[in-house]
Amino acid sequence: MGSFKGHALPGSFFLVAGIWWTGKYSLWHASRRNKNIGSTRLASRASQRRLEIIESSVVLFFSLVGILAEQFAAGGPRLQLYNFSEKHWQYLMNWQHATMYLFFGLAAAVSLVIHATEAAPLALDRLMLALAFFNEGFIFFYHLHGRSMLDVHVHQLLLFAVFGGALVASLEVFHRGNIILELLRCTLTVLQGSWFWQIGFVLYPPNGPEWDMKDPSNMMFITMCYSWHLAFAMLLVGSVIFIDCMLSIVTPKLFSSDMLHTLLEIIFVWLLCNDKL
């Protein structure tokens, strides 16, 4: 992760996850409130289980991709942790990042087992997700030794979103289906994803001048920039919720039995006219 691409990769993962979760939870919530046939199907337990299985499989796949990228990409450790000839640890940053991906992969694997087999309590998936977020924050908290002032600051700001996500996921263990907690987790996940991108631009700018890592004004700007990222996350989540609400209202009406009957009549008349021609 010690590069721009190394920060853009997890940033993209978290952005996609946050947007996906927002769409999923808001659509389910709107469907439960909209009591009709189409909405009932969307909110049914069977459809939710299928989505959870697909989601867990995708998260597990991308976690493996992240681990392999950290290990075998250019300059990676290739599964080497200790240099016996020089007698010191090596590539610890890559190993820490791979460990972060590992815990999200474990959470996805447990969720996959739960929703595919029902062999474990349902709340265990939220508990594993909370542990994955906590482990990520724990690693980043002790990831800052010997870093420059601005480097430490941008990672410390990241911890607010990470530990916040861990706390919210922990609360969901006992309050599953609470739309407020779910959307708060979505917002913090989007914030985490966008901030990973920001860290990449600060520490490894692909274009333009490098940041002065010791300038206090840069720290002030970055702190304000974090608030902008939070506002962006809130607006993005709100936009997805609005779109989902519109879809939950329009889609069932569009595919209602009366509408389908009318559509079939139009098709029948059109075919009849073509036959006469």
Side-chain angles (χ1 to χ4, degrees):
M1 197 182 287
S3 65
F4 177 80
K5 293 181 180 179
H7 286 82
L9 180 64
S12 300
F13 288 166
F14 285 117
L15 277 172
V16 171
I19 295 171
W20 164 255
W21 283 341
T22 303
K24 182 179 71 172
Y25 295 135
S26 59
L27 187 59
W28 283 354
H29 179 70
S31 299
R32 285 194 296 265
R33 296 182 61 185
N34 191 11
K35 302 296 183 180
N36 54 53
I37 296 175
S39 296
T40 303
R41 289 175 180 172
L42 287 173
S44 67
R45 179 59 186 156
S47 63
Q48 291 183 15
R49 282 187 61 188
R50 284 193 293 269
L51 275 180
E52 294 286 359
I53 291 172
I54 295 172
E55 176 187 315
S56 301
S57 302
V58 172
V59 173
L60 180 59
F61 171 76
F62 281 111
S63 297
L64 292 174
V65 170
I67 293 173
L68 293 175
E70 289 293 340
Q71 288 291 328
F72 298 102
R78 300 183 183 277
L79 302 180
Q80 295 181 5
L81 179 59
Y82 191 78
N83 190 324
F84 289 95
S85 60
E86 299 182 7
K87 297 183 179 180
H88 65 79
W89 304 103
Q90 60 183 5
Y91 301 108
L92 289 178
M93 287 182 60
N94 295 78
W95 278 98
Q96 285 186 330
H97 301 152
T99 303
M100 180 189 77
Y101 287 119
L102 172 64
F103 271 76
F104 281 102
L106 290 174
V110 170
S111 178
L112 187 60
V113 171
I114 290 171
H115 295 287
T117 66
E118 297 185 351
L122 188 60
L124 189 59
D125 63 345
R126 294 294 189 270
L127 179 61
M128 290 298 298
L129 182 62
L131 288 174
F133 277 124
F134 175 80
N135 177 74
E136 180 193 358
F138 176 74
I139 287 177
F140 277 121
F141 185 77
Y142 293 102
H143 187 67
L144 308 175
H145 300 296
R147 302 290 192 92
S148 61
M149 182 173 63
L150 187 60
D151 191 347
V152 171
H153 188 59
V154 293
H155 282 91
Q156 286 177 337
L157 291 174
L158 177 66
L159 293 178
F160 287 103
V162 177
F163 282 126
L167 176 61
V168 174
S170 299
L171 292 174
E172 287 185 76
V173 174
F174 308 101
H175 302 282
R176 190 183 187 88
N178 187 308
I179 188 63
I180 302 300
L181 292 177
E182 290 171 342
L183 294 180
L184 179 56
R185 171 161 55 87
C186 296
T187 303
L188 292 172
T189 304
V190 171
L191 172 61
Q192 188 180 161
S194 66
W195 195 248
F196 263 115
W197 275 87
Q198 183 66 59
I199 293 175
F201 278 107
V202 171
L203 301 183
Y204 310 97
N207 297 305
E210 295 185 356
W211 291 62
D212 185 351
M213 295 294 166
K214 297 181 180 180
D215 187 354
S217 62
N218 281 339
M219 293 185 63
M220 294 179 63
F221 171 77
I222 284 297
T223 304
M224 180 176 61
C225 190
Y226 187 81
S227 298
W228 294 347
H229 278 259
L230 176 58
F232 164 76
M234 295 169 64
L235 288 173
L236 183 59
V237 169
S239 300
V240 175
I241 293 172
F242 176 77
I243 294 172
D244 276 352
C245 289
M246 293 298 101
L247 287 175
S248 67
I249 295 172
V250 173
T251 304
K253 293 181 179 180
L254 185 62
F255 294 99
S256 63
S257 58
D258 293 338
M259 182 66 72
L260 286 175
H261 183 70
T262 304
L263 183 60
L264 289 174
E265 286 183 346
I266 294 173
I267 295 173
F268 177 75
V269 172
W270 180 78
L271 291 174
L272 189 61
C273 292
N274 283 342
D275 288 339
K276 290 181 178 180
L277 292 175

